[in-house]
Amino acid sequence: MTKWRLPLGRLQRKVLLVVTVIVIVPMLAAGWLASEWVASSFEQRLERWIMDAARASQNWLQAYQNDADMLGRVLADDKAFVARLQRRPDEDSMPTPVRRIAQELGVHLFQVYTPDYKLIYSSIPIEMEALWESGQTEAVLKVVRKNKSMLAAVGITPVPHDGAPRFYLVLGSLLGQDFTNELAQFTGLKTRLYYREGHNYYDVFSNPDQAVALRSLTADALRHLEKDQKPYYSLMAENGQFRGLYTPIVDTTGRVEGIMFSGLERRGFHDVLTNRIVLFLLISLVGVVIGGLTGLLLSRLVLRPIEYLRDGVMQLSGQNFNASVPIQSADELGDLAKAFNAMAARLRAAHDEQAQRFRKDKLTAMGELSAALAHEIRNPIGVINTSSALLEKSAGDPGKTAELVRMIREESLRVSDLVQDFLQLSRHRQPAFAAIDPVQPMERALNTALAGKNNIAVSKQLDHDGAEIMADAGLLQQAWGNLFTNSLQAMAGRKGELRLSARVDGDHVQLSVEDSGSGIAAEIMPRLFEPFFTTKEEGTGLGLTIANTLVEANGGRLEAQLPEKKGARFTMRFPVYKRAQA
Ligand code: ADP
């Protein structure tokens, strides 16, 4: 399974992390606190509003009763009206101006009762469920109209006669849907009226066909309303649809006749403002967006130029000297980009100059090599030329002829050796690397060099502990062959000694050969590896050059050193590839 990673640079990820820790986390905490504060203070305001509005609704109800009461008293004082009432109470008993005012005030109910509560006239055919106590002037009473119960806010005015009531005038309003609609318009809240029937409360106005029982109140809330007769505020009123206030409607006997509900639907903008989670999520979202934009801005302003610089440096380190960085700003990063471009330009110039010098050096070296080669070949060719010219003249002298033929063969052999060595030097064979014991090519070359010779004593001190190197054994054997050939030539058929040693020095293996030959003069030491440098009559001067080239091609170094005793000492050094397991 491949691990998914953000498509961002490491620096960008760090900046994002820092922005997350420094900006987003504290912002989430602040968002939480802010949402708590906004929600609770908004909730408090809503509650206060609902309370005030509910009080206004109650006052409205009270106003109906006051109006009815006031009209009742006006009528009771009207002698003509009382006289008419005594004759025959009917609709026209009421003087026209009073009737008009009553209509304006919404007082539609007009009833006349005898002192023993017998109804003798009613403007609307209704029955009072419960009647008032004597002395009571205002009441909210349950009435039945067309078999439907509802509430009426009424004022009760006794019309006295000789000190005792003769009639009771009951004026008032039926509290129907009109009333609740008016209240809703006036307060901006949903208003419901519940009347009581036994232990239950019913709403008849919201749905005229069906009385809906008030069930959403808990027993505790009901006790609060009925026993303490105090308003009850609920955040989840009317089955959770509203936040609102239930106010008990208490008649003058102290009984709760109904409950008025004023509430605000839990929907819309204010519900968002009181919902802590939604608020928190909204504030967090805004914060995260701000944080993200901050990170993006930072990455554009700071990280982009740094990334350009990094790419430029990577290109330079990969030898691409044409790398350049766009200069985007006139600040420190811009200065850095300018400095980088200047540095890249200088490096480019230095590199070009170096390449040019290298080409020149190569041509010079080739010229020197060709000159040396021509010089080396010219001598034997000259001898061959002269000998072959003399050969023609010495046709009758077999002794001289044989001598000249020998010279021709020797010189052409020398040219052939030279060409062979030269070929070996110029032909670049790619080493076939393998992990090998470095002593193995040395010993093989030694065996070949010593074949048929018994004047050489060999001593070995191999302490390389089985360390291995990465090299081409064949090429190294050839290099060792050249070294041994030189040693044997330096000992020139006399009794001699070859001392071989191998040891590990740090992370390198060091292999040496020391002979007891003529030794190397200090002044020629620096020239040993030069092509065609030789001190020998028959030498080509290529043996050490070839050996050195081969050792370097195998990742090693060849050095001529001062020997411990008389003679010459050559050492090869290679990096250790693998040490033997202890
Ligand atoms: P060549 O053997 O053809 O002269 P080399 O490059 O092999 O060419 O050697 C260059 C010179 O280094 C030799 O001519 C000789 O003077 C010197 N030299 C090399 N190896 C030894 C040695 N083991 N003892 C003494 N001199 C040496």
Side-chain angles (χ1 to χ4, degrees):
M1 204 176 78
T2 49
K3 212 168 118 187
W4 186 83
R5 304 188 78 169
L6 274 181
L8 296 173
R10 273 168 290 171
L11 209 55
Q12 278 182 320
R13 279 205 291 272
K14 268 186 202 160
V15 167
L16 205 69
L17 190 77
V18 168
V19 168
T20 308
V21 172
I22 295 181
V23 179
I24 293 178
V25 170
M27 206 214 45
L28 288 183
W32 180 253
L33 288 177
S35 64
E36 279 286 314
W37 180 78
V38 170
S40 68
S41 70
F42 198 73
E43 190 70 66
Q44 272 174 9
R45 267 155 223 256
L46 281 182
E47 183 173 344
R48 208 169 307 138
W49 172 33
I50 291 170
M51 295 276 217
D52 290 347
R55 203 168 301 127
S57 301
Q58 249 202 330
N59 291 345
W60 192 287
L61 187 81
Q62 185 74 47
Y64 271 122
Q65 290 175 319
N66 291 349
D67 291 346
D69 187 32
M70 184 259 300
L71 282 174
R73 271 186 278 121
V74 167
L75 287 174
D77 289 345
D78 185 338
K79 298 265 184 319
F81 167 73
V82 175
R84 259 204 307 279
L85 214 58
Q86 267 175 329
R87 276 201 308 279
R88 192 170 65 91
D90 61 14
E91 204 171 330
D92 301 328
S93 314
M94 207 186 280
T96 314
V98 178
R99 194 162 55 229
R100 288 239 175 93
I101 293 174
Q103 268 167 6
E104 279 301 310
L105 293 175
V107 178
H108 300 292
L109 180 65
F110 170 50
Q111 291 184 316
V112 184
Y113 287 84
T114 60
D116 49 355
Y117 302 117
K118 207 189 261 155
L119 177 69
I120 50 176
Y121 173 73
S122 179
S123 61
I124 304 169
I126 55 164
E127 288 166 38
M128 290 280 190
E129 283 261 303
L131 292 177
W132 57 93
E133 308 275 306
S134 89
Q136 190 175 347
T137 56
E138 286 174 3
V140 174
L141 299 170
K142 191 161 15 167
V143 298
V144 177
R145 184 187 183 190
K146 292 182 193 160
N147 287 335
K148 270 190 188 163
S149 299
M150 56 179 78
L151 290 173
V154 297
I156 304 135
T157 316
V159 179
H161 179 72
D162 296 338
R166 184 165 189 178
F167 300 108
Y168 281 107
L169 296 182
V170 173
L171 285 109
S173 305
L174 290 180
L175 305 180
Q177 204 170 0
D178 293 349
F179 174 68
T180 53
N181 286 350
E182 258 176 63
L183 283 184
Q185 269 178 11
F186 173 59
T187 59
L189 300 179
K190 177 84 186 169
T191 305
R192 282 178 182 164
L193 272 176
Y194 292 94
Y195 72 91
R196 192 164 69 95
E197 202 168 276
H199 290 296
N200 292 326
Y201 291 87
Y202 295 95
D203 169 16
V204 279
F205 312 117
S206 304
N207 185 351
D209 301 329
Q210 192 191 352
V212 182
L214 171 62
R215 289 193 205 287
S216 60
L217 282 179
T218 59
D220 246 14
L222 269 179
R223 202 171 312 125
H224 192 76
L225 285 162
E226 288 181 332
K227 285 244 169 69
D228 307 341
Q229 298 186 348
K230 286 206 176 112
Y232 172 76
Y233 184 79
S234 168
L235 283 176
M236 298 300 259
E238 305 290 278
N239 298 318
Q241 285 177 312
F242 292 85
R243 51 167 60 72
L245 190 74
Y246 292 92
T247 319
I249 300 172
V250 187
D251 70 9
T252 31
T253 61
R255 271 201 331 159
V256 174
E257 278 306 326
I259 291 174
M260 181 160 62
F261 170 74
S262 312
L264 190 66
E265 217 169 336
R266 298 187 61 97
R267 208 169 58 183
F269 184 59
H270 42 74
D271 206 43
V272 172
L273 281 184
T274 52
N275 191 326
R276 285 162 172 73
I277 306 258
V278 173
L279 264 184
F280 170 65
L281 289 179
L282 277 176
I283 294 174
S284 306
L285 191 75
V286 170
V288 167
V289 169
I290 291 174
L293 288 178
T294 311
L296 236 141
L297 198 75
L298 262 183
S299 91
R300 278 205 91 81
L301 282 179
V302 182
L303 299 186
R304 253 311 156 73
I306 290 182
E307 266 170 19
Y308 285 143
L309 271 173
R310 171 186 168 266
D311 289 349
V313 172
M314 298 297 265
Q315 284 185 37
L316 265 194
S317 74
Q319 304 266 312
N320 175 9
F321 297 104
N322 289 321
S324 84
V325 172
I327 301 165
Q328 290 186 320
S329 54
D331 51 16
E332 285 85 345
L333 286 170
D335 293 348
L336 208 60
K338 271 187 222 157
F340 175 85
N341 287 344
M343 184 180 79
R346 275 199 300 277
L347 274 176
R348 193 162 47 239
H351 180 256
D352 291 350
E353 196 185 294
Q354 197 189 30
Q356 226 170 7
R357 197 180 312 138
F358 179 71
R359 268 197 301 276
K360 221 164 87 187
D361 288 355
K362 216 157 86 173
L363 282 176
T364 315
M366 220 169 80
E368 281 173 4
L369 206 67
S370 313
L373 187 66
H375 177 77
E376 290 300 318
I377 291 175
R378 200 172 53 192
N379 278 349
I381 299 268
V383 174
I384 292 169
N385 238 341
T386 321
S387 302
S388 43
L390 289 174
L391 202 59
E392 281 174 6
K393 292 179 193 156
S394 66
D397 185 346
K400 203 159 185 187
T401 304
E403 170 65 11
L404 287 170
V405 167
R406 186 187 58 78
M407 277 172 73
I408 289 173
R409 195 180 302 123
E410 267 177 12
E411 291 307 308
S412 54
L413 209 69
R414 210 170 132 193
V415 175
S416 162
D417 280 353
L418 192 74
V419 169
Q420 194 63 34
D421 278 356
F422 196 72
L423 272 181
Q424 213 174 37
L425 180 70
S426 61
R427 201 186 292 136
H428 252 304
R429 199 183 110 191
Q430 206 56 34
F433 286 105
I436 55 161
D437 181 344
V439 168
Q440 176 217 322
M442 177 168 80
E443 287 190 319
R444 284 200 183 154
L446 180 72
N447 291 341
T448 313
L450 290 182
K453 295 193 173 63
N454 49 16
N455 57 330
I456 306 297
V458 177
S459 68
K460 297 179 190 172
Q461 193 180 352
L462 306 176
D463 300 329
H464 64 303
D465 296 333
E468 292 188 344
I469 63 166
M470 257 302 182
D472 183 325
L475 295 184
L476 288 190
Q477 185 177 338
Q478 201 180 324
W480 282 114
N482 289 3
L483 294 187
F484 291 138
T485 305
N486 280 345
S487 291
L488 293 180
Q489 282 172 357
M491 293 186 283
R494 286 176 274 120
K495 268 198 178 306
E497 197 185 343
L498 273 180
R499 290 180 292 278
L500 306 184
S501 69
R503 67 189 179 88
V504 175
D505 177 19
D507 50 2
H508 282 77
V509 189
Q510 198 166 297
L511 305 137
S512 303
V513 55
E514 215 176 301
D515 61 44
S516 58
S518 53
I520 306 169
E523 63 271 18
I524 67 163
M525 283 286 253
R527 303 194 57 199
L528 288 184
F529 298 107
E530 267 179 31
F532 305 110
F533 173 77
T534 181
T535 55
K536 297 171 197 166
E537 191 87 344
E538 310 270 286
T540 61
L542 287 174
L544 285 181
T545 311
I546 292 168
N548 189 34
T549 311
L550 293 173
V551 171
E552 282 185 354
N554 278 282
R557 275 174 66 89
L558 176 62
E559 286 167 16
Q561 292 165 321
L562 285 177
E564 281 172 18
K565 299 178 185 168
K566 192 174 85 74
R569 177 185 167 93
F570 286 87
T571 296
M572 291 187 194
R573 280 166 64 82
F574 298 96
V576 172
Y577 172 67
K578 204 166 87 186
R579 287 170 202 275
Q581 303 292 324

